[in-house]
Amino acid sequence: MAKLYIVPTPIGNLDDITLRAVNVLREVDLVLAEDTRTTSFLLKHLGIEQKLRSHHKFNEHATVRTVAETIAAGRNVALVSDAGTPGISDPGFLLVRTCVEAGIEVETLPGATAFVPALVQSGFPCDRFCFEGFLPQKKGRMKQLQALADEERTMIFYESPYRVVKCLEQFAEVFGAERMVSVSRELTKKFEETVRGTVAEVLDRFRAAEPKGEFVLVVSGKPKLRRANEPEKYESDDE
């Protein structure tokens, strides 16, 4: 029976694609691409000739049913985004839901996504975290941040270079200028960089130098308060 494959693609360095992903892209009957130009470049790099069809946030509502019918008719389909794992701040959810509801098998390959390396190299706890993705550009932006004011888990945000400074300013307002933050940009690419420090320190850094590239902002959770004279408790694997 044919199925839908969710195929992660590199977020920068093309060598990060898995052998399994290459094999799937080579063998499926159709590849759905967020931007066919971007995916064409990747497939050419991999030496794959494949039929492409556009599938992005502006047309997915109108096309998911047709895609599901294509798979039900016996054609294997792969979904890719421009970079990373489809469905993570990229188109994918609607198609997956439609296929699941139609009884079509969905197979998701493991692979690249930007927030995982940014989280791990932040130095903040990553056993429990919340992924917020992109904040609303205008309406509801501060409301969403204020709802996270007491969040004790590490928080992860995506942001464009044009709003990084504004985002950090809002972090200072809601979380406090002394809250620790780790900002990674251009992950896996030639000019990859991670800047760590308080919100105030990192804000000064990006006010002084124009932000460039794709950004992942990782914010430490709200510190837990200890009662006076209460000894600090450390967790161990034996507990």
Side-chain angles (χ1 to χ4, degrees):
M1 182 178 294
K3 64 177 72 173
L4 171 67
Y5 293 90
I6 306 299
V7 182
T9 55
I11 60 174
N13 191 321
L14 297 184
D15 290 339
D16 288 339
I17 196 164
T18 67
L19 289 175
R20 184 179 171 202
V22 173
N23 289 333
V24 167
L25 292 174
R26 181 176 289 120
E27 294 170 4
V28 294
D29 300 297
L30 179 66
V31 175
L32 302 178
E34 184 180 6
D35 186 326
T36 55
R37 294 167 299 181
T38 300
T39 302
S40 292
F41 179 83
L42 173 64
L43 295 182
K44 183 177 180 180
H45 174 79
L46 299 172
I48 297 174
E49 292 186 6
Q50 190 53 262
K51 185 175 181 180
L52 289 172
R53 181 183 298 175
S54 180
H55 183 85
H56 48 71
K57 64 181 180 180
F58 300 109
N59 73 358
E60 59 178 340
H61 286 83
T63 61
V64 290
R65 185 61 57 186
T66 300
V67 173
E69 291 172 353
T70 298
I71 300 171
R75 301 182 71 193
N76 287 301
V77 174
L79 174 67
V80 301
S81 62
D82 288 349
T85 301
I88 305 298
S89 293
D90 281 320
F93 160 68
L94 288 177
L95 180 57
V96 170
R97 183 178 66 180
T98 300
C99 288
V100 169
E101 291 174 347
I104 295 170
E105 184 176 355
V106 178
E107 185 171 329
T108 303
L109 280 61
T113 188
F115 78 78
V116 173
L119 169 63
V120 173
Q121 68 191 28
S122 71
F124 303 149
C126 49
D127 53 336
R128 296 175 66 247
F129 59 89
C130 61
F131 173 71
E132 293 295 318
F134 287 98
L135 291 166
Q137 292 186 23
K138 296 179 181 179
K139 186 177 180 180
R141 187 179 178 94
M142 284 299 292
K143 183 178 180 180
Q144 187 169 329
L145 282 175
Q146 289 164 352
L148 296 167
D150 294 323
E151 176 60 66
E152 295 180 346
R153 296 171 295 174
T154 302
M155 296 168 281
I156 306 166
F157 303 86
Y158 285 166
E159 193 52 274
S160 78
Y162 311 108
R163 289 187 295 274
V164 166
V165 169
K166 175 183 177 180
C167 192
L168 289 167
E169 290 172 343
Q170 292 172 325
F171 285 175
E173 182 178 346
V174 176
F175 304 132
E178 296 306 308
R179 183 74 68 92
M180 298 300 294
V181 65
S182 174
V183 177
S184 295
R185 70 179 190 93
E186 293 294 86
L187 287 166
T188 79
K189 300 177 184 178
K190 180 178 180 180
F191 297 106
E192 176 178 340
E193 177 185 28
T194 294
V195 180
R196 305 175 183 86
T198 65
V199 171
E201 291 169 341
V202 176
L203 180 55
D204 286 344
R205 160 70 172 75
F206 287 108
R207 278 174 173 163
E210 180 184 359
K212 295 181 179 180
E214 299 300 321
F215 284 78
V216 183
L217 296 88
V218 184
V219 184
S220 63
K222 182 178 180 180
K224 296 181 180 180
L225 297 177
R226 298 201 311 272
R227 293 189 296 270
N229 300 321
E230 180 182 1
E232 193 167 353
K233 182 179 179 181
Y234 295 90
E235 296 180 355
S236 72
D237 294 336
D238 297 326
E239 292 182 351

